[in-house]
Amino acid sequence: MALKVLIRWEVKKPLLDEVLSEVLDKSVLPDPRDQALVAELINGVVRYLTYLDYLLARISKKPLEKLDPEVRNALRLGAYQLLFTRVPTQAAVAETVKILKRRRGQWIVNFVNAILRELARRKDEIDLPPREMDPAAYLTVRYSYPRWLVERWLTRFGEEETEALLKAGNERPVLVVRANTLRVTREQLLLYLKAEIPGASPCKYSPDGIALQGFQGRITNLRAFKVGWLQVQDEASQLVSYLVSPKPGERILDACAGVGGKTTHLAQLMRNTGRIYAMDVLPWRLKRLEENARRLGVTNIEVITGDATKSIETLGGNFFDRILIDAPCTGTGVIRRHPDIKWARSPEDLIRVPEKQLLLLKSLAPLLKRGGVMVYATCSLEPEENEDVIRRFLEEVSGFVVEDARKALPQTAHELVGEDGFLHTYPHRHGLDGFFAARLRKNN
Ligand SMILES: C[S@@+](CC[C@H](N)C(=O)[O-])C[C@H]1O[C@@H](n2cnc3c(N)ncnc32)[C@H](O)[C@@H]1O
């Protein structure tokens, strides 16, 4: 199953998470431990792609790119198990070879078998690129990131901090959920979850968050999920809704609502009153949003399929008390959750994407009431998509000021606000997803 997903990902480059859920939904694997193993293998290979390919290339006489996707990915899958899991060497090699035996000729089987055996023997002897000569090359291979991103972070953060950031991006994050306070308090939910997940504990920064340390299965199988007591949402993402600080009875626009992680949190902060208009260009995401809202007992949301940059015609006058723009971005702050992001981005994205982000801000600004609040958020660490977009917006559109994020965030999160008044979270500094968020007030 893992091999099938990896081939599909490599050939068509869809979102890894989506192929995985699709395959698991249709699968015949009843045991959650097997499902977790499939997810671990796939994410692991994608996370360490450069490193695995580097070692395999040192051993294989045939260049990896000359092999077909099935053989190349079988090798990666075998190598990942040998290097990063507790699967015994014999089993890792035998299982990989077994898949190919059924489908491929004897020489392929022998070839893969020989490479994996040699890798198991020599894995500790193969040298990485020498760090002193070329730190970027070393970090690129050792932590498996595209070179352009490593170079960019080296310039910005220096070698020591870059290494910490790269490392944090390879760590499997703890699953974090938000208590649906329309139905339970965090304390009640925590008590309930602890029976099943002893490692569950309250989050440090978000008053609604619970970290499920040690949880392995699929969250959708939990009873607490099915009855709508919780929503999966990282702590940093939860803080964004606090930054919007919606009040009961208000009218809110969530312009890039996606599957509604933040929309349903806004609803909960509004005690399910007022009205939230949840917009997205992708109808299937809004369908998932509606499913989430139903499960959570949220009824104050209206979904609108459409492009928020052309929303003036759809949405009419300036009648929103608050607007949230959870903008599409490169996602460099959430690599630990979605390792495929590393390979899906290019330096050109940092020119193209900010243009769209600025356009979203400029198009939505007129829809805000005077005195209203607009929050702009991304899960990117790149200044081009964050501070620069806000600076350009303030230069081009008059009447807005930046409000210090501490004005709206719970006290527990104040340490995450910079001198500039923006919310900045980093995986290697705070153990959170990397988010940026700015709170803007419209004065006239
Ligand atoms: C960062 S994601 C939103 C995540 C969501 N807010 C959550 O908390 O679960 C950005 C979303 O913006 C949507 N999007 C991209 N361009 C858009 C546009 N022009 N108008 C509206 N939505 C857009 C994408 O489809 C995507 O769902």
Side-chain angles (χ1 to χ4, degrees):
M1 206 174 279
L3 181 60
K4 209 154 85 182
V5 174
L6 284 172
I7 295 170
R8 248 166 81 186
W9 175 70
E10 194 191 45
V11 175
K12 292 208 191 123
K13 287 273 182 286
L15 296 179
L16 192 59
D17 246 7
E18 271 153 33
V19 208
L20 178 60
S21 315
E22 218 176 275
V23 172
L24 285 181
D25 283 343
K26 283 194 214 138
S27 90
V28 285
L29 285 180
D31 190 333
R33 285 172 306 178
D34 288 332
Q35 298 187 357
L37 179 62
V38 175
E40 157 66 19
L41 293 177
I42 294 163
N43 280 304
V45 168
V46 172
R47 192 175 282 129
Y48 289 108
L49 201 62
T50 307
Y51 182 69
L52 298 173
D53 284 2
Y54 178 87
L55 295 191
L56 288 166
R58 288 291 164 292
I59 290 174
S60 171
K61 299 217 165 51
K62 217 168 150 86
L64 288 193
E65 59 280 7
K66 291 264 164 64
L67 301 171
D68 63 78
E70 185 172 56
V71 176
R72 186 167 46 245
N73 285 293
L75 281 170
R76 288 169 174 163
L77 206 49
Y80 178 71
Q81 291 175 75
L82 290 176
L83 300 165
F84 291 98
T85 70
R86 288 183 306 170
V87 176
T89 304
Q90 286 300 334
V93 177
E95 286 299 312
T96 310
V97 168
K98 202 162 91 190
I99 319 172
L100 296 174
K101 249 189 197 147
R102 269 183 259 135
R103 316 158 47 89
R104 309 292 297 251
Q106 191 58 38
W107 87 263
I108 294 268
V109 172
N110 294 345
F111 171 76
V112 169
N113 188 40
I115 291 182
L116 291 180
R117 280 188 192 287
E118 195 171 341
L119 179 63
R121 252 195 325 273
R122 289 183 39 205
K123 61 180 195 268
D124 299 323
E125 299 159 18
I126 300 172
D127 288 331
L128 297 183
R131 183 168 192 157
E132 321 70 70
M133 282 171 60
D134 187 348
Y138 168 80
L139 294 170
T140 298
V141 174
R142 167 86 165 76
Y143 295 101
S144 195
Y145 281 71
R147 185 169 173 120
W148 70 269
L149 195 56
V150 172
E151 283 175 346
R152 142 178 279 272
W153 285 349
L154 276 173
T155 314
R156 178 157 160 230
F157 296 111
E159 195 171 325
E160 198 179 321
E161 196 174 352
T162 298
E163 185 166 18
L165 177 57
L166 299 173
K167 204 165 157 194
N170 285 344
E171 269 152 26
R172 293 140 192 78
V174 175
L175 187 69
V176 174
V177 297
R178 159 171 58 81
N180 177 15
T181 53
L182 294 176
R183 294 207 162 137
V184 278
T185 64
R186 171 162 81 168
E187 288 62 39
Q188 288 166 331
L189 179 64
L190 187 59
L191 211 62
Y192 180 85
L193 288 173
K194 260 192 170 302
E196 222 170 313
I197 309 160
S201 65
C203 288
K204 176 175 172 194
Y205 303 105
S206 165
D208 300 327
I210 297 179
L212 304 183
Q213 191 80 48
F215 177 70
Q216 288 254 317
R218 289 185 93 191
I219 192 82
T220 46
N221 293 338
L222 283 188
R223 198 180 106 75
F225 176 90
K226 291 183 186 150
V227 298
W229 286 1
L230 57 83
Q231 173 72 22
V232 175
Q233 192 184 17
D234 187 70
E235 218 182 329
S237 159
Q238 294 181 29
L239 294 174
V240 173
S241 316
Y242 277 100
L243 198 57
V244 180
S245 62
K247 302 284 174 288
E250 285 183 340
R251 196 193 282 264
I252 314 284
L253 174 62
D254 184 358
C256 301
V259 300
K262 298 183 188 67
T263 327
T264 50
H265 193 200
L266 293 171
Q268 142 182 352
L269 295 173
M270 294 161 76
R271 305 303 310 159
N272 204 17
T273 67
R275 204 95 195 118
I276 305 175
Y277 296 82
M279 188 165 205
D280 204 283
V281 265
L282 297 177
W284 68 265
R285 290 208 170 144
L286 292 173
K287 205 164 148 259
R288 293 256 301 277
L289 183 152
E290 287 181 303
E291 283 162 16
N292 278 325
R294 249 195 310 280
R295 185 177 53 81
L296 296 164
V298 169
T299 54
N300 63 344
I301 297 174
E302 196 167 307
V303 302
I304 306 166
T305 307
D307 181 341
T309 60
K310 303 194 176 92
S311 55
I312 295 210
E313 304 98 78
T314 333
L315 296 167
N318 58 336
F319 52 56
F320 292 105
D321 297 293
R322 291 163 209 269
I323 296 178
L324 169 59
I325 307 176
D326 189 22
C329 69
T330 58
T332 56
V334 291
I335 285 175
R336 60 187 196 146
R337 266 175 221 292
H338 307 284
D340 48 327
I341 283 179
K342 293 180 191 181
W343 315 116
R345 303 288 176 257
S346 69
E348 293 73 50
D349 290 335
L350 291 169
I351 298 163
R352 190 180 52 80
V353 177
E355 293 310 317
K356 175 154 188 201
Q357 292 162 332
L358 182 61
L359 184 62
L360 276 164
L361 272 161
K362 283 166 56 178
S363 319
L364 293 165
L367 300 181
L368 191 64
K369 274 185 190 167
R370 190 178 299 173
V373 165
M374 183 151 80
V375 168
Y376 170 82
T378 72
C379 54
S380 162
L381 301 177
E382 313 316 312
E384 290 89 334
E385 299 176 77
N386 298 336
E387 298 89 330
D388 291 0
V389 169
I390 295 297
R391 184 183 39 77
R392 288 167 65 195
F393 172 71
L394 294 173
E395 278 166 13
E396 292 181 32
V397 177
S398 63
F400 280 84
V401 289
V402 173
E403 258 185 15
D404 193 296
R406 277 166 287 217
K407 256 189 129 159
L409 288 175
Q411 186 81 37
T412 45
H414 283 193
E415 63 182 275
L416 304 172
V417 179
E419 295 274 290
D420 49 15
F422 302 137
L423 172 74
H424 297 269
T425 60
Y426 295 90
H428 64 300
R429 291 184 195 160
H430 313 110
L432 303 180
D433 283 352
F435 262 77
F436 167 88
R439 182 174 154 105
L440 303 165
R441 173 128 5 224
K442 189 178 194 176
N443 282 337
N444 52 54

